[in-house]
Amino acid sequence: MKTVRKIWKFLTSMKFAVALLVILAIACSLASLVTQGQTYSWYAQRYSERTAALIIAFHLDDAFHSAWFLTITAFLTLNLFFCSMAQIKGLLARTRAAKLPSETADVTADGVESPEEVFKRLGMPEPKLIEDAEGRETLFASKNRAGIWGAWVCHIGILLIILGFALGQMTHEEYTVYGVPGQSKTIGDTGLILTIDSFRVDLREDDTVEQYEAGITVRNALDGSNESAKISVNNPADLYGMRFYQNSTGWAAKVSVLKSGEPLQETVLCAGELLPIVDKPELIVYFNAFYPDYYYAGAPATASGRLNNPGYLYSVYYNGEMLGMNVLTGTDVLTIDEYTVTFSEPQSYTLIQIKRDPFAWLALAGGLVTMLGLFLAFYIQPKKVWAVREESGKWTVSASSRKGGELFRESFYRAVKPENGGENDG
């Protein structure tokens, strides 16, 4: 039984909480060094096969959803919860004790003729008349008892943040949609359809991007309802319980395919997408990259972000083997047997990131509670002041505070003896 109690005491101790926080910090640091959500082959190509195997084995490719991360989080949550619950009894006792004079005082002054003035100068509420243990007439007032709970409230806030983050990681949904104005894309399996109404890229004088702004409409395929919004970098929108972020942009172009001079197919491709020829799917045209102001300097490059000399870098594959790669500019066309492929009408596409986190409110509430706890802990000073009438008719005024230290002592003596600047006569 003693062994069980010792284990329980350790598991609910601050030492264990600090150890868990250190482990969690190290785990998050390691996870931040690894690109999340990639495949074994991707990691093997970037690092090595041995490193890739370790990443997959320890689930570092999806660290924040892994069993070990959730286990650490669960232990930390339980530790904070039980630590907080264990403190309640002592805090209640301290709160009750704050309603009565203390046996010992932090500071005392004798021979005070008007204690009521001292209470006023210290900003205390109107004192109550009571009797001490010896039956002496006593004035007493307390203030800011809520400050006793500051650290406890802060711990509860941290607990809510951890819970909100952990539950959010386990239940959150995330989707990515990209395209050009006029295109509609389904959002995963949500039953929602996103239509890109407009997209604008604002450039600075040096051709660097200043802002992206997209106009979107989201339609519910089940009931036909829709909601619209404009989103830009750092200005997401909330539609159908999901948050839509303007993430990034890239280039797209219209790709037209003729067969023996007759139109066969036409579509808009974003850079990085491929187009299987409709009647010969083993023949694939891949749109590698776009250069708005193309020039060649040992490798394809662009002189600016302006559409001065559009260049389309493409690759052609047949049955998985590359047939060739080149850049089309001006009126250049790609000819493959009876097929003719042209690129035209370059335009920017928008990449929109969509997230749903049903527990984001819990993390937000935890942040607010933590801020409240910090406010109570650092700015609300619990203090009590009492004055006992001596046989001489004068009063002995005492005060105590768990915060403030020397500053509290100085303010007390200024209140007792304002005529000499609050200097203590000893």
Side-chain angles (χ1 to χ4, degrees), residues 14 189 272 388-389 414:
M14 286 303 297
D189 57 355
V388 179
R389 187 191 289 274
R414 282 197 301 270

Side-chain angles (χ1 to χ4, degrees), residues 352-391:
I352 298 169
Q353 193 171 25
I354 306 155
K355 296 181 180 181
R356 192 205 312 265
D357 185 349
F359 289 96
W361 65 270
L362 186 59
L364 176 61
L368 295 175
V369 172
T370 301
M371 293 298 295
L372 174 61
L374 292 173
F375 176 77
L376 292 174
F378 290 103
Y379 293 99
I380 303 299
Q381 180 183 13
K383 53 187 176 181
K384 52 186 177 180
V385 181
W386 62 98
V388 179
R389 187 191 289 274
E390 305 296 344
E391 293 181 358

